[in-house]
Amino acid sequence: MAKSRFEYVRNYEQDLSILPNTYIVIRVDGRGFHKISKEYDFAKPNDRRALDLMNVTAKSIVEQFPETLCAYGQSDEYSFVLKRDCALFERRQAKLVSTFAATFTAQYIFRWPQFFTEPLKGWLLPTFDARTVIYPTIGEIRDYLSWRQADCHINNLYNTSYWTLVLRGGMSEHEAEQTLKGTNSSDKNELLFSQFSINYNCEDEMYRKGTIITAVRERGKRRIKEAHVDVIGDEFWKTCGFP
Ligand code: DGT
Ligand code: MG
Ligand code: MG
């Protein structure tokens, strides 16, 4: 077919291709979940339904994209680590980012009724953005996942302390904030234990550590597993079998 005289405009398209032979991390994050969690009455500090929904959504992505090595999630975010030799969409960044954001959003909305009795409102639908980050070695991937897990730990310890002071200690939100100002981890652990008999280390592992989804080959089949384990120490990395 003859080309039209308009064909030249295609040359203006910019298409960034991600460097070959590097790990690609795609992190999706809920847009405005501060508002979403309020509007749909998420439990504080952790809503089991919301986190379970994030996890099944992420699993469906790992199933759909066999190039995924593992995924890590906490709060309203999930990071997907793609294999180093991943050739998905010829490693075109725009395709990767938009597909992951759109697929995650679609799957999340599709599965919402399995977890929440309250239907979604058309004027406040949950959506997710996405970004890519590339890392040259598995060492940086380990540090990346450790960074996200440390973030989960710091936020969860703070939020657990804060909401315990408000919901069980009868403090106002401002008083709770003031009480926690300048405290370190052991102060918060001590506060929870001495005033509320809460041993933070006995809180749900999913809340404290987040969720790691791994895809491993067993007898020729790709098996997807979910765990709530430490990814900062050596143990996970000795047994994960990542290339
Ligand atoms: P963004 O990401 O810039 O569009 O804005 P947000 O509001 O999504 O901010 P982000 O992603 O930094 O923080 C996540 C928000 O989601 C934060 O306000 C707490 C809320 N959230 C996430 N999981 C839960 C949960 O299980 N329970 C409750 N109550 N809130 C949650
Ligand atoms: Mg967010
Ligand atoms: Mg977030």
Side-chain angles (χ1 to χ4, degrees):
M1 221 202 318
K3 287 187 175 178
S4 76
R5 68 187 173 86
F6 307 118
E7 196 72 22
Y8 80 98
V9 295
R10 178 195 281 273
N11 298 328
Y12 283 66
E13 282 185 18
Q14 287 193 320
D15 213 351
L16 179 72
S17 258
I18 292 177
L19 284 177
N21 203 29
T22 46
Y23 293 94
I24 302 172
V25 174
I26 305 174
R27 183 169 74 250
V28 299
D29 185 283
R31 175 169 174 235
F33 262 52
H34 181 68
K35 197 167 170 198
I36 294 273
S37 62
K38 275 203 170 131
E39 189 61 39
Y40 294 104
D41 261 334
F42 284 13
K44 292 165 176 132
N46 291 292
D47 189 289
R48 183 93 221 170
R49 302 162 302 172
L51 294 169
D52 284 343
L53 173 55
M54 287 295 288
N55 292 340
V56 296
T57 301
K59 258 193 253 171
S60 77
I61 303 283
V62 176
E63 264 161 30
Q64 230 178 105
F65 298 104
E67 299 82 355
T68 317
L69 194 58
C70 66
Y72 174 78
Q74 54 122 345
S75 183
D76 69 338
E77 67 167 62
Y78 243 100
S79 299
F80 298 89
V81 181
L82 307 187
K83 291 176 187 164
R84 206 148 71 150
D85 61 359
C86 164
L88 183 61
F89 304 137
E90 295 132 1
R91 299 173 78 88
R92 285 151 68 194
Q93 194 207 23
K95 276 272 221 183
L96 286 167
V97 161
S98 56
T99 302
F100 270 67
T103 312
F104 197 96
T105 300
Q107 292 283 353
Y108 185 95
I109 287 179
F110 176 67
R111 286 157 208 274
W112 176 274
Q114 293 171 27
F115 296 90
F116 289 87
T117 45
E118 192 188 356
L120 285 167
K121 295 155 185 165
W123 50 270
L124 190 63
L125 290 173
T127 56
F128 293 82
D129 67 20
R131 70 198 61 192
T132 55
V133 197
I134 57 169
Y135 293 110
T137 71
I138 199 81
E140 281 102 5
I141 291 297
R142 178 174 168 168
D143 288 346
Y144 172 83
L145 295 173
S146 301
W147 172 52
R148 296 325 301 145
Q149 190 167 59
D151 184 85
C152 174
H153 168 73
I154 292 162
N155 289 334
N156 193 59
L157 179 58
Y158 182 88
N159 292 338
T160 303
S161 309
Y162 180 89
W163 287 110
T164 303
L165 288 171
V166 173
L167 300 173
R168 284 182 54 186
M171 280 190 188
S172 70
E173 298 195 9
H174 179 72
E175 284 166 340
E177 207 179 305
Q178 290 306 112
T179 305
L180 293 175
K181 213 175 221 169
T183 57
N184 61 22
S185 283
S186 60
D187 298 333
K188 291 186 190 76
N189 271 289
E190 181 57 28
L191 180 148
L192 285 170
F193 193 71
S194 62
Q195 293 189 36
F196 303 96
S197 306
I198 293 171
N199 182 346
Y200 181 74
N201 290 324
C202 297
E203 292 289 291
D204 198 308
E205 294 221 294
M206 183 165 97
Y207 302 160
R208 287 188 292 124
K209 299 195 169 105
T211 302
I212 178 103
I213 297 171
T214 48
V216 284
R217 287 230 155 253
E218 277 175 8
R219 278 173 257 116
K221 272 193 95 176
R222 189 165 175 264
R223 284 201 42 199
I224 292 161
K225 292 184 189 165
E226 180 184 306
H228 314 288
V229 295
D230 180 76
V231 298
I232 297 174
D234 290 336
E235 192 55 35
F236 174 80
W237 297 95
K238 276 187 203 150
T239 51
C240 67
F242 292 162

